[in-house]
């Protein structure tokens, strides 16, 4: 008798993820402050410029997820969706192809390593406040990715990961029972028998929610304000 394949859909508990992000921020920031308090940290950016840098750094984070997805055999640019959902407090990158365990771990880890750990090390070497701050921001805002990595490390090697159309959830396909695989900040929302009909129906390349247009408008305003201010 052929063994049934089950699906498990998980959702993010934003309350717990925010608490974990604050704890992670403290764990990283306090030692760095003690290490660097006698150093002359350079501050080259004004407040507006730092805000814009934060915005583009978060977008760059998602682009690195995209790079991680594109390196997977069979994944093309049209399979990638980038989005902003201000009301949910997330920037996201989803891949509308089924992905194996090794590949999803690489895609999740790429921005944390490249834009978090490596850039933090560079910032400490050159004593740059902006680079240190942006690196810590990237690491703490990656708390969802980090908890997903912890979860997948607990899973068997033959699992399949898939994104549907919800940026605050993900689905895992497995022959083994994953009901007891638990990680703080991630909750099992639904489980059942997997069928090939379970797939993404929204294949748009970029998704911007209505509330997020306010953020985009603010960014454009600040850029124009900065340019005009520089000319005058």
């Amino acid at each position: 008798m052929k063994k049934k394949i089950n699906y498990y859909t998980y959702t993010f508990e934003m309350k717990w993820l925010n608490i974990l992000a604050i704890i992670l921020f403290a764990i990283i920031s306090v030692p760095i402050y003690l290490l660097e308090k006698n150093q002359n940290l350079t501050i080259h950016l004004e407040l507006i410029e730092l805000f814009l840098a934060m915005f583009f750094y978060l977008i760059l984070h998602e682009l690195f997820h995209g790079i991680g997805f594109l390196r997977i055999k069979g994944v093309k640019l049209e399979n990638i969706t980038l989005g902003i959902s201000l009301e949910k407090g997330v920037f996201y990158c989803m891949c509308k192809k089924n992905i194996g365990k090794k590949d999803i771990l690489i895609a999740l880890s790429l921005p944390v390593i490249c834009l978090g750990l490596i850039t933090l090390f560079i910032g400490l070497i050159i004593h740059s406040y902006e680079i240190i701050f942006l690196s810590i921001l990237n690491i703490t805002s990656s708390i969802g990715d980090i908890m997903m990595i912890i979860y997948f490390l607990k899973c068997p090697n033959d699992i399949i990961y898939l994104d549907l159309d919800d940026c605050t959830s993900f689905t895992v396909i497995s022959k083994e029972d994953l009901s007891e695989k638990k990680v703080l900040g991630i909750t099992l929302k639904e489980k059942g028998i997997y069928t090939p009909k379970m797939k993404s129906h929204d294949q748009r390349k970029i998704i911007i929610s209505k509330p997020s247009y306010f953020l985009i408008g603010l960014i454009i305003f600040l850029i124009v304000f900065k340019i005009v201010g520089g000319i005058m």
Side-chain angles (χ1 to χ4, degrees):
M1 183 176 178
K2 188 176 181 180
K3 193 173 182 179
K4 293 180 179 179
I5 302 176
N6 297 318
Y7 76 88
Y8 301 82
T9 297
Y10 296 86
T11 186
F12 297 111
E13 292 184 274
M14 299 309 296
K15 178 184 73 173
W16 282 111
L17 290 179
N18 289 331
I19 292 173
L20 289 171
I22 293 171
I23 294 172
L24 183 60
F25 181 85
I27 291 173
I28 299 172
S29 300
V30 172
I32 289 176
Y33 170 75
L34 295 174
L35 181 67
E36 295 288 322
K37 66 178 181 178
N38 295 323
Q39 301 291 338
N40 295 318
L41 288 177
T42 57
I43 303 175
H44 301 292
L45 299 180
E46 298 178 3
L47 186 59
I48 292 177
E49 293 172 332
L50 188 59
F51 176 78
L52 293 173
M54 288 168 55
F55 177 78
F56 287 111
Y57 209 73
L58 290 173
I59 291 179
L60 192 59
H61 175 109
E62 302 307 327
L63 291 177
F64 267 76
H65 278 315
I67 293 171
F69 289 136
L70 288 171
R71 57 163 292 280
I72 302 170
K73 185 178 180 180
V75 174
K76 299 178 181 179
L77 193 58
E78 56 262 33
N79 303 130
I80 307 296
T81 294
L82 294 171
I84 302 175
S85 181
L86 187 62
E87 67 277 17
K88 295 179 181 178
V90 293
F91 290 66
Y92 59 90
C93 176
M94 295 192 294
C95 180
K96 305 306 178 68
K97 279 275 191 179
N98 293 4
I99 304 170
K101 177 179 176 177
K102 179 182 177 181
D103 289 323
I104 189 59
L105 284 172
I106 292 174
L108 288 171
S109 303
L110 205 57
V112 181
I113 294 172
C114 297
L115 300 177
L117 299 178
I118 293 176
T119 53
L120 178 60
F121 182 68
I122 293 172
L124 290 171
I125 291 176
I126 66 176
H127 304 296
S128 169
Y129 167 79
E130 290 89 355
I131 294 178
I132 291 174
F133 174 76
L134 291 172
S135 299
I136 296 175
L137 172 68
N138 181 74
I139 294 171
T140 54
S141 64
S142 300
I143 190 64
D145 297 334
I146 293 170
M147 300 314 291
M148 287 175 70
I149 290 170
I150 294 172
Y151 167 79
F152 286 121
L153 289 174
K154 292 183 175 184
C155 292
N157 291 329
D158 61 349
I159 62 163
I160 298 295
Y161 169 93
L162 66 152
D163 279 315
L164 299 179
D165 296 316
D166 181 8
C167 63
T168 58
S169 70
F170 63 93
T171 299
V172 178
I173 304 169
S174 177
K175 295 178 182 178
E176 297 185 30
D177 186 7
L178 303 181
S179 301
E180 300 304 316
K181 307 289 184 183
K182 297 179 180 179
V183 173
L184 188 61
I186 298 175
T187 302
L188 180 60
K189 177 182 178 183
E190 183 182 344
K191 66 178 181 178
I193 305 300
Y194 170 74
T195 68
K197 293 181 180 180
M198 291 184 64
K199 59 182 180 179
S200 171
H201 298 288
D202 190 340
Q203 296 291 335
R204 287 179 292 171
K205 298 252 185 20
I206 298 177
I207 299 175
I208 302 175
S209 67
K210 289 182 180 179
S212 299
Y213 280 105
F214 169 79
L215 177 62
I216 302 297
L218 177 61
I219 297 299
I220 294 173
F221 170 79
L222 291 175
I223 292 174
V224 173
F225 177 82
K226 185 64 182 175
I227 293 174
V228 173
I231 294 174
M232 297 181 65

